[in-house]
Amino acid sequence: MAADLQSKYQKLAQEYSKLRAQNQVLKKAVVDEQGQGTSLKEELKMKDQSVRKLQQEMDSLTFRNQQLAKRVELLQEELVTTEAKGKKNKQKNTDPPSQMNQQRQSVFDEDLQNKIEENERLHKQLRHVSTCAGHQLSQIDS
């Protein structure tokens, strides 16, 4: 009977040491997973901030683009009005257009061209920001 107890004790001791070893491995795995979870949360937070920043920039660019589009539209309307007045004046006067009208027209044309170029540049920035935001969102979703 003592031999039987001794063999049971040995089995329990072996099982206990096996479980302790497993326990240490599992504790280390839990700590590693917690660390990884924390780093992923931090990365998500940073990407979230980046997406918000890009969204604000995109909103700002969209607003500026709308302002410029309205300005271009007004300049085009002003150009049409000026041309219509110029035609009426030409019908009244057969003299060649004055130097002053040519200068004004030149200024309007230059301003319009500058606004069109700025509008194109802002469209490119908007597409770039939108693309970057889309990529970051897809990375976050992954």
Side-chain angles (χ1 to χ4, degrees):
M1 187 172 255
D4 193 30
L5 278 172
Q6 187 65 26
S7 69
K8 284 184 180 181
Y9 177 75
Q10 286 294 336
K11 284 181 186 178
L12 282 175
Q14 287 175 351
E15 188 69 28
Y16 177 73
S17 69
K18 215 187 292 184
L19 289 175
R20 276 193 80 176
Q22 285 179 348
N23 188 26
Q24 292 299 324
V25 170
L26 291 175
K27 279 184 181 179
K28 185 179 182 326
V30 166
V31 168
D32 290 347
E33 286 297 319
Q34 285 174 340
Q36 187 178 9
T38 303
S39 70
L40 287 174
K41 284 179 184 177
E42 191 64 33
E43 184 181 343
L44 178 63
K45 183 180 175 183
M46 288 176 12
K47 290 200 180 221
D48 226 11
Q49 288 174 344
S50 176
V51 166
R52 278 195 299 276
K53 180 183 173 191
L54 289 172
Q55 186 66 40
Q56 287 175 344
E57 186 177 344
M58 189 170 78
D59 291 345
S60 173
L61 289 173
T62 301
F63 177 73
R64 181 68 178 137
N65 190 26
Q66 288 171 347
Q67 285 181 324
L68 289 173
K70 288 177 185 177
R71 177 74 175 134
V72 167
E73 187 178 320
L74 289 173
L75 287 172
Q76 288 173 337
E77 289 174 5
E78 194 173 314
L79 178 64
V80 169
T81 305
T82 305
E83 287 176 349
K85 286 181 182 178
K87 286 181 182 178
K88 288 180 182 177
N89 288 340
K90 282 185 181 179
Q91 291 173 355
K92 292 179 182 177
N93 293 334
T94 56
D95 295 339
S98 70
Q99 182 71 18
M100 187 64 113
N101 283 341
Q102 287 178 349
Q103 287 176 349
R104 268 194 225 145
Q105 185 62 40
S106 166
V107 169
F108 285 139
D109 290 343
E110 185 179 332
D111 192 29
L112 178 61
Q113 184 62 37
N114 288 340
K115 296 300 179 181
I116 288 171
E117 288 172 3
E118 186 176 2
N119 197 3
E120 288 174 358
R121 182 183 57 79
L122 288 172
H123 270 295
K124 287 178 184 177
Q125 281 182 341
L126 181 61
R127 278 194 303 272
H128 176 72
V129 166
S130 180
T131 303
C132 288
H135 288 307
Q136 286 190 352
L137 283 175
S138 66
Q139 286 177 350
I140 289 172
D141 289 341
S142 305

